[in-house]
Amino acid sequence: MQSYTIGQAARLLGVSPDTVRRWADAGRVATHRDEAGRRLIEGRDLAAFSIEVAQGGAEDEDTPYTSARNAFPGIVTAVKLGDVAAQVEIQAGPHRLVSLLTREAVEELGLEVGMRATARVKSTSVHIDRT
């Protein structure tokens, strides 16, 4: 399973690294250390926590959230596979994006809960890029 540094988690959550450190120190999100001593967050833990943060509202309401060129980098929080179709949810900062795509596309991209991905929005379609 993929793990994220404090800085990577901060970018995915749309907050500062100091905020993520404070949350970790307060026990809101679990971390562990790698062999180099860096604090890491497991992808599944970060996915669950990103939903909690988004549902709780932004810490600083004056913080603007924008998508450069309609790209929403985030973390996969759910993958639901059907026989032919699939549903993928991404939490990108305060934004929850849901895309319906083919099961084949999800399998080719290897999308799993906890991994980074970018939702690209064009008109009424959301396209997912693995990052």
Side-chain angles (χ1 to χ4, degrees), residues 16-130:
S16 73
D18 285 337
T19 297
V20 176
R21 281 188 204 93
R22 283 193 301 275
W23 286 339
D25 290 344
R28 288 190 62 194
V29 63
T31 63
H32 67 277
R33 296 209 183 256
D34 67 5
E35 54 281 342
R38 295 180 305 169
R39 290 171 79 176
L40 300 176
I41 302 171
E42 289 297 321
R44 287 193 181 274
D45 293 337
L46 184 58
F49 185 66
S50 69
I51 294 169
E52 177 188 322
V53 168
Q55 290 174 345
E59 194 170 273
D60 179 2
E61 294 300 326
D62 294 330
T63 303
Y65 290 98
T66 63
S67 65
R69 298 159 75 189
N70 298 324
F72 293 84
I75 187 167
V76 176
T77 57
V79 176
K80 298 173 186 164
L81 297 175
D83 291 337
V84 176
Q87 178 178 313
V88 176
E89 295 182 25
I90 292 179
Q91 192 70 44
H95 309 289
R96 176 180 167 260
L97 297 112
V98 179
S99 178
L100 300 176
L101 56 164
T102 65
R103 178 185 181 117
E104 180 181 14
V106 171
E107 290 171 346
E108 284 179 6
L109 290 169
L111 295 175
E112 295 178 350
V113 171
M115 70 185 324
R116 288 184 296 179
T118 300
R120 296 194 186 276
V121 180
K122 178 169 173 49
S123 186
T124 59
S125 300
V126 176
H127 303 268
I128 306 294
D129 296 340
R130 181 176 174 175

